[in-house]
Amino acid sequence: MAALPPSPRPRWSWDDSRPMRWVRRSFGYSRGEARGLVGLLGIMLLTIAAPLLLRPELPVYLPEADQKGVNELAAQLKDHRTVEQGFASRYPRREFRKFERNAPRYPAVPQVRLSPFDPNALSAEGWEARGVPHFVAARLVKYREAAGGFKAKTQVKKMYGLEDSVYQRLAPFMQLPAEAPRRDYATNRPGPDGKFPPFAAGDAAAKFPRKPRNLQPFDLNQADTTQLMQIRGIGSGRAKWVVKYRNQLGGYMREDQLDEVFVLRDAPDLRDSLKKYTFVAPGFAPKTVNVNTATFDELYLQPYIGKPRARLIVAYRQQHGPFHSVEDLKQLPTLKPADLEKMRPYVRCE
């Protein structure tokens, strides 16, 4: 019987290697997952080793060339400094005079014999010639030019740096009064003591007319600023605000609306005075605004409407058509019942 040929040797595969079998056995991976893990590890190793293997060769530093360039630059700078010495300095050097010890700092001015003189006509040298130090003489001339001249000896006496002995020696020869004449202060300016002098009866009456004590009540919707200013505590500014708010509203319906005036919110006593001397005529019809035809600029001027509600009114008209009655304003989402009652006398729907 013929012998059988030997069986072929099994072909070696990476998947059957010990490392792959260990990975599959330890992690429970399939063949494909094990191959993927090995491939991922190979890519990571290649990424780490690539910069080390592909790093270019570092250049060789040759200091001789750089040293040569530095030497040439230093030689050029040296030549430039040697040739160009005549350039102008940005900060020119100041030359200070050297004073000898115990030598006068300022040039000496010859002294003159004292005689009557006008301080407003003297120069700085004239003051020095009469024994005034140099810096005080310049200060006297500067003060005289700024103040428009000396008017009394006391102004010279108060000059800073002037010794009292020098002033006492010069004072008898100054052609000036001892004290400045008293100024006639206006009645609306404080005097030297900081207090206001009493008003003269004639000037006070002409400038500030007395307000009547027994004022008769008047119509709030017909009064002008002059009539409102007859009430004590109401000046021109507050009177203008009362009239301005009345014009914006279209007229006052109640005296309580004075509480809404900006300048009277923090003045309850003034509001009480206005309510005491004013009234609203019965049957008064205020000026109204038509919410169906008025533009945005006309609507927001009404204090009870304002800009936000004016936008809502215009948008509602464009979407739903005109308002049929004032009650239709309740459809506006932000309009409260109390605000509608305040707005009702001043709006109409036509």
Side-chain angles (χ1 to χ4, degrees):
M1 183 176 178
L4 295 176
S7 58
R9 188 178 182 179
R11 187 177 180 183
W12 184 85
S13 176
W14 176 254
D15 294 335
D16 296 331
S17 62
R18 287 185 179 182
M20 295 297 287
R21 289 200 304 268
W22 179 83
V23 169
R24 293 199 304 269
R25 185 171 61 255
S26 300
F27 299 100
Y29 287 169
S30 64
R31 291 176 179 272
E33 291 173 341
R35 287 195 297 266
L37 177 61
V38 173
L40 182 60
L41 292 175
I43 294 174
M44 293 175 60
L45 292 175
L46 183 61
T47 304
I48 295 173
L52 301 176
L53 299 176
L54 302 178
R55 177 182 298 175
E57 184 180 358
L58 295 177
V60 179
Y61 176 66
L62 300 176
E64 292 80 5
D66 291 343
Q67 186 64 38
K68 183 179 179 181
V70 171
N71 294 336
E72 293 178 356
L73 181 60
Q76 293 177 3
L77 291 175
K78 184 177 180 181
D79 297 340
H80 180 75
R81 289 180 179 179
T82 304
V83 174
E84 299 183 7
Q85 291 290 341
F87 60 90
S89 175
R90 184 177 180 182
Y91 303 100
R93 186 176 180 178
R94 298 175 60 183
E95 295 182 0
F96 297 93
R97 292 187 303 168
K98 294 184 179 181
F99 295 94
E100 298 180 0
R101 183 172 295 182
N102 299 328
R105 185 174 181 181
Y106 302 102
V109 177
Q111 302 295 303
V112 298
R113 185 177 180 180
L114 292 180
S115 61
F117 64 92
D118 183 7
N120 292 317
L122 282 184
S123 61
E125 289 76 8
W127 285 104
E128 291 185 59
R130 287 163 177 80
V132 178
H134 176 82
F135 64 95
V136 179
R139 192 172 296 161
L140 285 167
V141 174
K142 186 176 180 180
Y143 176 84
R144 182 188 66 197
E145 295 175 353
F150 295 106
K151 298 178 178 59
K153 296 179 181 179
T154 55
Q155 293 178 296
V156 180
K157 183 178 180 180
K158 295 178 181 178
M159 189 58 53
Y160 178 75
L162 182 63
E163 297 182 359
D164 186 65
S165 59
V166 178
Y167 170 77
Q168 296 296 339
R169 184 169 55 85
L170 297 178
F173 301 96
M174 295 183 187
Q175 296 177 347
L176 288 175
E179 295 183 358
R182 297 181 62 86
R183 296 178 58 183
D184 185 12
Y185 290 93
T187 56
N188 60 343
R189 294 182 180 179
D193 55 355
K195 298 181 180 180
F196 287 89
F199 287 102
D203 296 342
K207 202 167 187 179
F208 305 101
R210 298 181 64 87
K211 296 188 177 183
R213 293 183 177 273
N214 300 322
L215 183 64
Q216 298 297 325
F218 51 85
D219 190 353
L220 184 59
N221 290 310
Q222 300 295 330
D224 55 4
T225 55
T226 304
Q227 198 169 2
L228 289 170
M229 289 171 58
Q230 295 180 0
I231 302 175
R232 292 181 179 273
I234 303 298
S236 60
R238 290 191 173 96
K240 291 178 181 178
W241 271 96
V242 172
V243 174
K244 178 181 178 181
Y245 191 72
R246 181 186 69 192
N247 296 336
Q248 291 177 348
L249 277 177
Y252 292 105
M253 293 292 295
R254 306 176 310 277
E255 290 86 351
D256 296 341
Q257 290 176 297
L258 292 171
D259 300 343
E260 303 169 1
V261 180
F262 175 73
V263 295
L264 300 178
R265 292 177 182 175
D266 298 331
D269 52 342
L270 297 181
R271 297 200 302 266
D272 294 340
S273 298
L274 280 169
K275 296 174 185 178
K276 178 180 178 181
Y277 294 108
T278 59
F279 63 87
V280 177
F284 171 75
K287 183 180 179 181
T288 59
V289 57
N290 190 349
V291 294
N292 287 328
T293 59
T295 62
F296 170 79
D297 295 333
E298 296 172 347
L299 287 171
Y300 86 86
L301 293 178
Q302 167 58 240
Y304 291 153
I305 296 178
K307 289 186 177 181
R309 290 173 185 161
R311 293 190 185 96
L312 289 176
I313 291 174
V314 174
Y316 186 91
R317 285 189 330 212
Q318 294 175 353
Q319 295 178 6
H320 304 282
F323 296 94
H324 300 289
S325 65
V326 179
E327 298 297 330
D328 291 344
L329 293 174
K330 295 180 180 179
Q331 303 299 326
L332 299 178
T334 60
L335 184 62
K336 300 179 181 179
D339 297 336
L340 178 60
E341 293 303 322
K342 293 169 61 176
M343 191 191 305
R344 189 184 298 274
Y346 298 99
V347 296
R348 69 180 190 275
C349 301
E350 295 178 356

